[in-house]
Amino acid sequence: MSQIEIAQIIEQIKQEITVDSNGQGKASIRATARLANIDATGLVRSLKTAVDNSRSKLVEKLIRKGFEAVEILGWSQSGIPDIAVATILHYYGYEAGKRCSEQALLACEAFESIGVRAWMQDIMGWTKPATQPQEQPSTPALPPVEQRLHTLVLAMKTLAELTGGRLNPYMEQQFKDYAGNLLAEHNRKLLTPSEERWLGVVNFAESELGKKVPLSGAHYRGHLGTWVRTFYPQLGSRQETRLVNGVQQPIYVYACHEPAVAAGLTKAVEEFFAHPSPGAALRQAGAFTRKSLVTA
């Protein structure tokens, strides 16, 4: 039997130990017997002699420690106080004669060493230092606009070389639109520094939610913008002129820096893609009775 094994036993009986608001602990009969490596039934039988004329030596030792006989009798129901547990371990470690156990002795020694340490800490006014909160990893920032544009130019150049100068016209225009809008956004922030982020709903869906908004089909990108304006008009009505397919066009943009607006857009986008036929729903709502703006 080693101190490591004692620690393992303590871990096993932890659920049968309680500590009240004053820091006073109690252990069950079973937990105490397990610590001392004795029979729990025998321990109960010994404690019950507290109200007999012929008391066990263990009970006599407990009474000398200041415990009342009636109190000892109730431990099988209420649990054994921490001081009494130490007394029982000491008894079965040193004084029980043939019933002494090596495990009780080792447990007693382990708790005695803890007691000395606690005493030294108390007289020196030592307190456990507060746990230092772990530093949260910093959120990586996007590279400067100039660097992103440079990377974009190099990527376009590489694509052109790989395709022999025959880039997909739509892809090429997307690159140009992205570069133009990136510069426009950068210049706007330089003129009016702020944390505001105004995005079209398609841009929001693709950049913030990772959605791929198609150019045609049931979930056509034009229908997405109409969906937001029809069913979520409270999210805003601001319009800006931006590049769309190489042409400056007015589009609806939304204050994505505001949590309520971002949450509303997220809900709208998810509903749009979850609907089997958003176009039919929009027609039923009368959304196509007037001309709509572009919603990139």
Side-chain angles (χ1 to χ4, degrees), residues 153-167 171 175:
V153 170
L154 292 179
M156 290 182 66
K157 182 179 179 181
T158 301
L159 278 174
E161 291 174 353
L162 291 173
T163 59
R166 294 189 297 275
L167 278 178
M171 182 183 295
F175 276 127

Side-chain angles (χ1 to χ4, degrees), residues 134 238 273 279 289:
Q134 294 184 350
R238 175 169 169 170
F273 281 100
T289 56

Side-chain angles (χ1 to χ4, degrees), residues 70-86:
V70 176
E71 180 186 3
I72 295 172
L73 190 63
W75 286 350
S76 59
Q77 300 296 325
S78 62
I80 303 175
D82 46 14
I83 301 299
V85 171

Side-chain angles (χ1 to χ4, degrees), residues 156-228:
M156 290 182 66
K157 182 179 179 181
T158 301
L159 278 174
E161 291 174 353
L162 291 173
T163 59
R166 294 189 297 275
L167 278 178
N168 180 295
Y170 173 73
M171 182 183 295
E172 185 176 5
Q173 190 59 60
Q174 286 285 87
F175 276 127
K176 291 178 180 178
D177 289 352
Y178 174 78
N181 287 326
L182 188 64
L183 280 173
E185 180 70 10
H186 177 63
N187 292 335
R188 186 183 66 81
K189 287 184 177 180
L190 288 178
L191 293 173
T192 56
S194 72
E195 297 298 323
E196 294 184 356
R197 294 179 67 247
W198 293 86
L199 300 176
V201 63
V202 172
N203 192 353
F204 176 83
E206 293 187 335
S207 63
E208 303 300 314
L209 304 181
K211 301 286 188 181
K212 180 61 179 176
V213 188
L215 293 171
S216 60
H219 296 90
Y220 159 65
R221 59 178 53 202
H223 284 176
L224 174 57
T226 307
W227 183 278
V228 173

Side-chain angles (χ1 to χ4, degrees), residues 49-170:
T49 65
V51 292
D52 294 344
N53 292 328
S54 178
R55 294 168 175 163
S56 67
K57 291 182 179 180
L58 172 61
V59 168
E60 290 178 352
K61 182 177 179 67
L62 289 166
I63 290 175
R64 288 197 300 271
K65 285 286 185 178
F67 294 104
E68 298 290 338
V70 176
E71 180 186 3
I72 295 172
L73 190 63
W75 286 350
S76 59
Q77 300 296 325
S78 62
I80 303 175
D82 46 14
I83 301 299
V85 171
T87 302
I88 292 170
L89 289 175
H90 190 277
Y91 175 79
Y92 283 105
Y94 298 96
E95 304 174 29
K98 293 181 179 180
R99 288 178 295 166
C100 283
S101 72
E102 179 188 5
Q103 183 172 305
L105 178 63
L106 289 172
C108 191
E109 290 177 349
F111 290 131
E112 284 175 351
S113 64
I114 293 173
V116 171
R117 180 184 301 171
W119 168 72
M120 290 182 176
Q121 292 172 353
D122 181 59
I123 64 173
M124 296 304 296
W126 181 89
T127 56
K128 186 176 181 180
T131 304
Q132 294 293 330
Q134 294 184 350
E135 292 186 5
Q136 296 295 327
S138 58
T139 304
L142 286 172
V145 170
E146 296 83 356
Q147 183 178 338
R148 282 185 279 168
L149 283 173
H150 178 67
T151 303
L152 179 64
V153 170
L154 292 179
M156 290 182 66
K157 182 179 179 181
T158 301
L159 278 174
E161 291 174 353
L162 291 173
T163 59
R166 294 189 297 275
L167 278 178
N168 180 295
Y170 173 73

